[in-house]
Amino acid sequence: TEPGTYNYNSSIGFDAQLGMTGTITVDIFTIPELLTSMYSAPLNLDVSSGAYVFNLFCGDTLNQPNQYTVFLPNNDAVAAIGEELNLNNFDFLGLPEFTTILEYHIAQGAYMSGDLVDGMQLPSIMGQDLTITEIGGQYFVDDAQIIATNYLADNGVVHIIDAALAPEGVPEATVMSIISDNEEFSLFEEAVRSAYLDDD
């Protein structure tokens, strides 16, 4: 599980001098490396937005030797949620609890498409469970259809989905949380709190 070059030789008698030696090179292909390769030729999977963001916000986690299953929204899914929330690609990065939302797309353990069954509950690294359903031979995670499967890395697997997932109660964005999270609104925040309107 540790990348590197490992040299071995037999310590019995003169075995090493007689050529009984060996070298093992371990080159681990992690999920972030897989995500990087997924939006370059020749795959052309239309997942560049999601792959980039998952690497940026969850790359350290996904580089661990633990096993993970990532449900990766395609570009159409990212564009749809951006249109619904009136956000551009850069606005996503400032969403409250954005990392928490991404972590909801990542299940603990590696689940190939053949491992998924109707009614299955997968624990996400965010803490809430993801629900697998099967309808007419098509598989869904929550309400998102799994449209491409079984992209493998040494520490897990990636499935592509046609919608972004949202854990229950997240994002919990309010006007007040947006004001509080932005330094440009510090005077406005102070005025709102002074008027006792922050709960409203």
Side-chain angles (χ1 to χ4, degrees), residues 154-166:
D154 290 331
N155 65 331
V157 61
V158 173
H159 304 302
I160 299 173
I161 56 178
D162 69 351
L165 306 176

Side-chain angles (χ1 to χ4, degrees), residues 66-150:
N66 303 324
Q67 294 289 300
Y68 300 105
T69 300
V70 177
F71 295 97
L72 179 66
N74 64 10
N75 287 347
D76 288 343
V78 174
I81 198 74
E83 186 174 322
E84 186 174 329
L85 298 176
N86 195 28
L87 300 172
N88 66 36
N89 285 346
F90 296 104
D91 291 334
F92 277 111
L93 308 183
L95 275 176
E97 303 175 87
F98 188 53
T99 301
T100 301
I101 295 168
L102 295 177
E103 289 176 346
Y104 183 63
H105 293 73
I106 304 169
Q108 301 172 29
Y111 298 92
M112 302 293 287
S113 60
D115 299 325
L116 304 176
V117 296
D118 188 41
M120 188 178 218
Q121 299 283 308
L122 303 179
S124 75
I125 66 170
M126 171 264 180
Q128 293 182 20
D129 287 347
L130 297 159
T131 302
I132 303 297
T133 54
E134 185 262 327
I135 302 171
Q138 301 295 320
Y139 283 84
F140 296 78
V141 55
D142 291 354
D143 294 326
Q145 184 175 347
I146 303 171
I147 57 176
T149 62
N150 298 344

Side-chain angles (χ1 to χ4, degrees), residues 28-32 61-69 109-110 152-157:
I28 291 180
F29 183 63
T30 63
I31 291 175
T61 297
L62 295 173
N63 264 320
Q64 301 302 312
N66 303 324
Q67 294 289 300
Y68 300 105
T69 300
L152 290 173
D154 290 331
N155 65 331
V157 61

Side-chain angles (χ1 to χ4, degrees), residues 3-67:
T5 300
Y6 301 90
N7 295 307
Y8 294 88
N9 64 64
S10 175
S11 61
I12 299 173
F14 296 99
D15 290 350
Q17 289 92 331
L18 295 173
M20 296 186 74
T21 62
T23 300
I24 297 174
T25 301
V26 179
D27 183 15
I28 291 180
F29 183 63
T30 63
I31 291 175
E33 291 170 318
L34 172 63
L35 293 173
T36 298
S37 71
M38 289 178 79
Y39 59 81
S40 59
L43 295 177
N44 297 320
L45 294 173
D46 198 32
V47 293
S48 57
S49 297
Y52 172 78
V53 168
F54 273 84
N55 271 347
L56 184 64
F57 285 86
C58 302
D60 288 344
T61 297
L62 295 173
N63 264 320
Q64 301 302 312
N66 303 324
Q67 294 289 300

